[in-house]
Amino acid sequence: MLSKTPAGLSNSSLFTLSTGRIILLILALLLVIIRLTQPAENNENLAGQIITGFTVFYCLSVLFLSFIYPWLRDNLYTFVLVSFFIFAIGFLHQIYIREFSKGVVSGFLIYALIAAFYIRTTAHLAVFQLFMVSMLTMLFYLLPDPGTEAQSFLIRFTGVQILAFFILSSRIRSIRRLIEQDLKYQNLIESLFCGVIQTDHEGKITMANHQICRLTGLEKDLLLKAMHFKDLVLPDDHLVFETKLANLLSGQGEKFDLRLRRKSGEPFWVKISASPTVSSDNEISGISMVLADISIEKSQQDQMISHVRDIEMANKALERQKSHLEVLTRTSSQEMRLPLESIRRVSDTLKVVVGQDNPLVSAYLEDISNHTQQIRQKVEGMWEFVATELQKPVLQELDMMALIADIREQLAHTLRENHATIVAKELPIIHADKLQISRLFSNLIENALRHRGSQPPVIQIGYSAPEDREEFLFSVIDNGLGLNREEYERVFHLFKKETEHDLNSIVMGLHICKRIVANHGGRMWFTSSSGKGTSFFFSLPADRGFSFEEILSPNDETLIEKP
C-alpha cells in the first residue's frame, strides 16, 4: 500500500479509493443489467445465477462497508482485485457454456484490458493476466469440440495480454515514479515548520499542510472544502490582502506581513512569501504561499518601540535637567565669586590696617584670605566638573603646540613664582575639544606645581604615535614629591581626602582630567614614586592627516626639545 501523509490519504490513494468505489458500483450494475436483458433460457443456469448473485452481493457489500470501516477503505484496492477475479470467473463460465461465442469472448477481451488498467503493480498485473490466459486455456481443452475459432481467439487473447503487459507495466512504472515524487513532495510540505497554502485564482484553498491547521486551529477538511484564504484574514487587513493578491495574479512575487485569525477569533501575525502558480498552459492558475508565525517577534518589536519611546522621553527629561543643572551651577559659581572676592579684599585691607600692630589678628586674617581662596578654587572646580560632565566635546582641528603656548601665557605668573620650566616636544595636530583639552593640560601642570619638591619644577610634555596610528599617547611628567602606594587608589577620586601636600589643591582636578580623556574615547593612567615625581599618561584619537609645526620660540620660557 502507498504511504499516507500525517494529515490523511495521499492524492494517489484518494484517486484509487474513488476509482475503486466506482468500479465496484459499475460491476454490480453491469451484472444486473446483463441478467435482466439476456434471453430467458440463459437465466436457467444455476451456476451462472450463483456466480452473478455472489458477485453483485460482494461488490455492493464492499462498496457500502468502505464508507464505514477505515481498514476496509484503506485496503479497498485489494478487495477490488478480488472482484476482478470473481467477475472473470462469471465470464469464463459464460464462455464455457456458450462455447466461445463471439459476443462473450469479445466482452471477455474488453473486460480483461479495462481491468488491467486499474492494477497498480506489475506483479498483480502478471498474476491477473496469467490467471485469465490459463483459465481460458483450461476451458478450451475441457470443451469436447472447441473448433478453430476458439483456438484462434485463445492465441489472439494470449498475444494481446502479452502486449498489454509490456505496455501497462511501463505505464505502471511511470505512474509509480510520479506517485513517489508526489509523496516526497507532500512529505516535504508536511515536515516544514512553516505553513504552506495553495489557492486557485479565485482564492479558494486547494492545499494546506498540517502547520496551517495548527496555526489556525481548523481541520484540513474544512479548509479544503469550504474556505477561501480571505476568510482567514482579519477584516482590517482585507484591503492589504486584496492589493497583494492583485499583484500576485499579475505575475509578481510578494513578501508581506498580514494578520490572520484563529478558529477562536484570536488574531496573529504571519510573514507571507507568495508567488503565482503557473499551469502547463503557462497561465496563472492560483497562488502558492509560505506562512511563518511572527506573533512573538511582533510583540517584541512593539515592546521595543515602546521602550525606545520611554527612553527618548527619559533622555529629553534628562537633557532638561542637565541644562537646568548647568545654568544653576554657572549662576551659583558666578554669584559666589563676588562675596568671596569681597571677603578676600576686606581681609587683605584689615591685615594692612590692623595686622601690623596685632600678630594674632594678622594670622587670623591670613587664614581667612587663604580659605577664601580655597573656596573660590573649589567653586571654580565645581563648575569645571559640571561643565565636563554635561557638555559634549566639540571636535575641531587643534594644534597642540599652540595650545601649550596659550597655557604657558595663562600660567606665566605662577611659573615665575615657582621657577618652573615646561619642556615640550614637538606635538601633533589632533581633532578634539579645545576648551576641554586646555583644561586637561592646565590641571595636570597646576597639579605638578602644587606637588613640587625642593628642586625647581620641571614639567615634560611628550607624545608617541603607535604604528597602527589609531591614537596618540601623551605624557606629562614632573619631578615633584610623587605619591605613596597608599595614595594610588584615590588619585582620580571625585572628592579625595587632601594630603598634607594638598592644602591648596582642587580636589576634583584629576577626576576632571580623566573624565575629559574618557569624553574623547581615550584612557588615562599614571606611575609615581615618593620623592621621584609623577608621570601621567593618556591617549587621544589620532588624526591621520596631521602635520608638525614649531610654535614656541626657543627664547620663550617654555623650552622646546627637538625629538
Side-chain angles (χ1 to χ4, degrees):
M1 295 297 295
L2 294 177
S3 60
K4 302 174 181 60
T5 62
L9 294 172
S10 64
N11 290 338
S12 59
S13 298
L14 289 172
F15 175 77
T16 303
L17 176 62
S18 301
T19 306
R21 286 171 174 169
I22 293 173
I23 289 174
L24 290 172
L25 181 60
I26 290 176
L27 289 179
L29 292 177
L30 184 60
L31 286 174
V32 172
I33 292 172
I34 291 174
R35 179 59 58 182
L36 294 176
T37 57
Q38 69 179 353
E41 61 271 15
N42 294 338
N43 292 330
E44 295 177 358
N45 187 280
L46 181 60
Q49 294 177 4
I50 293 174
I51 294 174
T52 301
F54 177 79
T55 306
V56 172
F57 174 78
Y58 175 85
C59 292
L60 294 179
S61 298
V62 172
L63 175 62
F64 176 74
L65 294 176
S66 67
F67 291 97
I68 300 176
Y69 297 104
W71 177 85
L72 185 60
R73 179 199 64 194
D74 296 340
N75 296 277
L76 186 64
Y77 168 74
T78 303
F79 287 92
V80 173
L81 283 183
V82 173
S83 72
F84 286 165
F85 285 95
I86 298 174
F87 197 88
I89 291 173
F91 250 122
L92 290 168
H93 178 261
Q94 289 294 320
I95 292 173
Y96 176 73
I97 65 175
R98 299 177 69 175
E99 299 181 352
F100 284 82
S101 64
K102 289 184 178 181
V104 177
V105 296
S106 299
F108 183 68
L109 177 60
I110 295 172
Y111 166 73
L113 293 176
I114 293 176
F117 269 93
Y118 176 78
I119 298 175
R120 298 186 303 179
T121 67
T122 304
H124 292 168
L125 177 64
V127 170
F128 179 72
Q129 291 182 324
L130 183 61
F131 171 79
M132 301 287 274
V133 173
S134 61
M135 292 300 294
L136 190 63
T137 303
M138 183 183 68
L139 291 179
F140 176 79
Y141 286 106
L142 288 176
L143 289 176
D145 185 16
T148 57
E149 291 186 2
Q151 182 179 2
S152 175
F153 175 77
L154 178 60
I155 295 173
R156 290 197 303 271
F157 182 82
T158 304
V160 170
Q161 293 302 309
I162 293 173
L163 180 62
F165 174 80
F166 286 108
I167 295 174
L168 293 179
S169 62
S170 175
R171 172 180 173 272
I172 288 171
R173 287 192 295 269
S174 299
I175 293 176
R176 173 66 64 175
R177 285 194 295 269
L178 292 175
I179 291 174
E180 290 177 352
Q181 291 177 1
D182 179 64
L183 289 175
K184 289 180 181 179
Y185 167 75
Q186 290 196 33
N187 289 333
L188 175 63
I189 294 299
E190 292 295 343
S191 64
L192 293 176
F193 289 103
C194 297
V196 179
I197 278 185
Q198 287 184 343
T199 69
D200 59 18
H201 64 281
E202 295 180 351
K204 186 178 183 302
I205 298 174
T206 57
M207 191 276 288
N209 69 346
H210 177 69
Q211 191 69 5
I212 290 293
C213 300
R214 189 192 68 82
L215 290 175
T216 60
L218 298 171
E219 297 179 356
K220 180 173 288 190
D221 290 343
L222 178 61
L223 288 170
L224 299 181
K225 290 180 180 179
M227 297 196 70
H228 287 65
F229 184 78
K230 189 175 180 180
D231 298 333
L232 301 177
V233 180
L234 208 66
D236 293 344
D237 289 0
H238 278 178
L239 182 59
V240 175
F241 173 69
E242 289 173 355
T243 303
K244 300 298 182 181
L245 181 62
N247 294 337
L248 288 165
L249 292 177
S250 66
Q252 303 178 20
E254 287 284 352
K255 290 184 178 180
F256 54 97
D257 296 346
L258 199 66
R259 287 179 298 174
L260 305 184
R261 53 184 174 183
R262 307 186 198 276
K263 183 178 181 180
S264 61
E266 176 191 0
F268 66 101
W269 280 97
V270 292
K271 180 176 288 293
I272 299 178
S273 298
S275 60
T277 303
V278 181
S279 66
S280 57
D281 299 331
N282 203 26
E283 296 181 355
I284 296 176
S285 59
I287 306 296
S288 298
M289 291 178 280
V290 178
L291 291 72
D293 187 355
I294 57 170
S295 300
I296 297 177
E297 291 81 351
K298 280 289 186 180
S299 177
Q300 293 175 346
Q301 182 180 357
D302 293 341
Q303 292 178 3
M304 186 178 297
I305 292 174
S306 177
H307 290 330
V308 169
R309 290 174 180 170
D310 292 342
I311 292 173
E312 289 177 350
M313 295 178 61
N315 286 339
K316 290 180 181 179
L318 182 60
E319 289 294 333
R320 290 194 296 269
Q321 293 177 359
K322 287 169 62 177
S323 177
H324 294 162
L325 178 60
E326 185 178 357
V327 172
L328 177 62
T329 306
R330 183 190 299 114
T331 304
S332 299
S333 62
Q334 291 174 351
E335 291 178 351
M336 291 179 67
R337 287 193 186 114
L338 294 177
L340 289 174
E341 184 63 24
S342 298
I343 293 173
R344 188 186 64 79
R345 286 199 302 268
V346 170
S347 63
D348 290 345
T349 301
L350 291 175
K351 185 168 61 177
V352 173
V353 175
V354 182
Q356 295 178 354
D357 300 328
N358 193 333
L360 182 60
V361 172
S362 179
Y364 284 143
L365 293 174
E366 182 67 24
D367 288 342
I368 291 174
S369 180
N370 291 337
H371 288 305
T372 303
Q373 182 64 19
Q374 290 179 26
I375 293 174
R376 180 177 179 178
Q377 289 176 344
K378 291 177 180 179
V379 169
E380 292 176 352
M382 184 71 73
W383 161 241
E384 285 186 5
F385 166 72
V386 173
T388 303
E389 290 289 330
L390 300 182
Q391 294 177 356
K392 296 180 179 179
V394 179
L395 302 183
Q396 63 186 74
E397 190 175 88
L398 187 59
D399 190 325
M400 294 302 298
M401 292 300 294
L403 182 73
I404 297 301
D406 292 341
I407 293 174
R408 181 198 62 78
E409 291 181 2
Q410 296 171 8
L411 300 177
H413 178 70
T414 305
L415 292 174
R416 283 194 295 269
E417 283 185 346
N418 289 275
H419 304 288
T421 303
I422 297 177
V423 180
K425 294 183 179 181
E426 191 172 12
L427 301 178
I429 295 175
I430 65 173
H431 279 81
D433 186 295
K434 182 177 181 180
L435 181 61
Q436 292 192 16
I437 298 301
S438 177
R439 185 179 298 135
L440 166 65
F441 280 95
S442 296
N443 285 353
L444 291 175
I445 292 172
E446 290 175 354
N447 181 76
L449 297 179
R450 285 194 299 273
H451 295 81
R452 60 168 295 177
S454 57
Q455 299 296 325
V458 177
I459 304 168
Q460 302 181 50
I461 301 175
Y463 90 101
S464 64
E467 294 182 359
D468 57 16
R469 303 292 293 276
E470 292 183 354
E471 62 181 9
F472 291 124
L473 297 178
F474 289 90
S475 61
V476 178
I477 303 172
D478 64 59
N479 60 343
L481 296 174
L483 298 171
N484 296 321
R485 284 285 179 184
E486 293 78 8
E487 299 175 297
Y488 273 24
E489 293 183 359
R490 46 194 176 90
V491 168
F492 293 116
H493 283 189
L494 182 57
F495 295 107
K496 67 183 182 68
K497 183 179 179 180
E498 298 176 353
T499 65
E500 59 182 350
H501 309 296
D502 229 3
L503 293 178
N504 296 321
S505 69
I506 302 175
V507 295
M508 291 174 288
L510 294 179
H511 174 82
I512 292 173
C513 291
K514 189 170 184 178
R515 184 63 184 177
I516 290 173
V517 172
N519 287 348
H520 287 76
R523 61 194 191 282
M524 187 174 188
W525 67 98
F526 72 95
T527 60
S528 182
S529 297
S530 181
K532 297 183 180 181
T534 303
S535 300
F536 286 95
F537 304 93
F538 55 91
S539 63
L540 293 174
D543 177 12
R544 296 183 182 274
F546 66 88
S547 61
F548 299 116
E549 180 180 358
E550 181 175 337
I551 301 297
L552 301 180
S553 169
N555 298 324
D556 289 334
E557 293 183 22
T558 303
L559 302 181
I560 303 175
E561 292 185 356
K562 296 295 182 182

